[in-house]
DNA sequence: CGCGTTTGACCTGCGC
DNA sequence: GCGCAGGTCAAACGCG
């Protein structure tokens, strides 16, 4: 499969195709060349920016378990079927949620929206506290969590929950800025 | 004064 | 039912 040679394979980011955070994203399910029923991963494209993640990849499994990726291409995880259907069905009851990691010295990315911090909590077995933010736009209940990795304090995990009900607060190019901040690093 | 952060208390879900 | 951990609330406070 040609993605094995893809130069940006293994970006540790999770963004659903339907997210208005990345409205121009194209997301495809990948299947084994020799067995078209065997789902092996995802490929994401935003303009010239392209990433892929394999199902057997350790980071993929961590992201699925810890961050609750719920749907791709409009399909639920249950419908792409890996045997853990009940767990997947349980996950899809959660609100739309996705996460990505960036290498940054600051916790808060400038994603164009205004956020208000409403809590901070130390998490078991984590060196750094987790911060909780809500979108300040009236009627918009999007939340995000920010957690710095203990195994690599240069890496920040940002988890978004929900969809904005309003346009981005700042001028365009905000997503381009995030892509610039988003850094690819080898699998841990 | 308005808006955002801090932080301890409180709530809730889950495993035992 | 109990205890733990994660998530949220809200009063106090800081800053422009």
């Amino acid at each position: 499969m040609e993605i094995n040679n893809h130069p940006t394979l293994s970006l540790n980011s999770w963004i659903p195709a339907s997210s208005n955070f990345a409205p121009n994203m194209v997301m495809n399910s990948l299947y084994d060349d020799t067995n078209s029923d065997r789902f092996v991963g995802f490929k994401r494209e935003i303009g010239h920016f392209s990433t892929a993640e394999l199902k057997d990849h350790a980071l993929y499994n961590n992201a699925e378990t810890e961050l609750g990726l719920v749907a791709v291409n409009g399909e639920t995880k249950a419908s792409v079927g890996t045997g853990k259907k009940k767990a997947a069905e349980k996950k899809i009851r959660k609100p739309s949620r996705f996460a990505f990691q960036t290498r940054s010295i600051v916790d808060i990315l400038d994603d164009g929206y205004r956020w208000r911090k409403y809590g901070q909590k130390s998490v078991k077995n984590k060196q750094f506290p987790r911060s909780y933010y809500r979108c300040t736009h009236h009627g918009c209940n999007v939340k995000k969590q920010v957690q710095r990795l203990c195994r690599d304090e240069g890496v920040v995990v940002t988890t978004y929950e929900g969809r904005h009900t309003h346009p981005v607060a700042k001028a365009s190019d905000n997503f381009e800025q995030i892509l610039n901040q988003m850094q690819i690093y080898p699998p841990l």
Side-chain angles (χ1 to χ4, degrees), chain A residues 41-59:
Chain A
F42 305 115
K43 184 179 182 182
R44 293 172 285 273
E45 298 174 8
I46 310 172
H48 64 279
F49 190 84
S50 176
T51 70
E53 196 84 31
L54 294 178
K55 178 172 168 290
D56 294 332
H57 197 286
L59 285 168

Side-chain angles (χ1 to χ4, degrees), chain A residues 16-177:
Chain A
S18 59
S19 171
N20 59 358
F21 174 76
N24 54 342
M25 170 176 276
V26 175
M27 194 161 196
N28 300 304
S29 300
L30 298 171
Y31 295 88
D32 193 332
D33 282 343
T34 59
N35 179 0
S36 61
D37 291 333
R38 183 170 172 264
F39 171 78
V40 296
F42 305 115
K43 184 179 182 182
R44 293 172 285 273
E45 298 174 8
I46 310 172
H48 64 279
F49 190 84
S50 176
T51 70
E53 196 84 31
L54 294 178
K55 178 172 168 290
D56 294 332
H57 197 286
L59 285 168
Y60 171 87
N61 289 328
N62 286 341
E64 183 183 42
T65 301
E66 296 175 11
L67 306 172
L69 180 70
V70 294
V72 291
N73 281 355
E75 296 176 298
T76 64
K77 290 295 294 173
S79 67
V80 291
T82 57
K84 297 180 179 178
K85 193 173 178 179
K86 278 207 167 180
E89 285 174 343
K90 191 176 181 181
K91 282 178 185 172
I92 64 178
R93 292 197 198 99
K94 293 180 179 178
S96 173
R97 199 174 179 213
F98 69 97
F100 60 87
Q101 302 180 358
T102 55
R103 186 175 289 278
S104 170
I105 59 171
V106 295
D107 289 347
I108 304 303
L109 295 171
D110 180 13
D111 56 10
Y113 295 97
R114 292 183 64 194
W115 300 94
R116 193 167 81 89
K117 189 175 185 178
Y118 67 89
Q120 178 172 302
K121 190 82 178 177
S122 59
V123 181
K124 195 183 177 188
N125 298 326
K126 304 279 188 190
Q127 183 181 350
F128 302 100
R130 178 178 298 164
S131 296
Y132 301 90
Y133 296 86
R134 239 193 293 264
C135 181
T136 61
H137 190 273
H138 183 68
C140 181
N141 61 348
V142 176
K143 298 173 192 173
K144 72 173 177 180
Q145 300 177 7
V146 177
Q147 168 90 60
R148 194 169 284 279
L149 283 187
C150 51
R151 60 171 179 251
D152 185 349
E153 60 185 74
V155 175
V156 174
V157 179
T158 304
T159 305
Y160 286 82
E161 189 177 303
R163 299 195 63 183
H164 293 280
T165 59
H166 57 97
V168 67
K170 292 184 184 174
S172 57
D173 294 342
N174 63 305
F175 186 67
E176 200 67 32
Q177 290 172 15

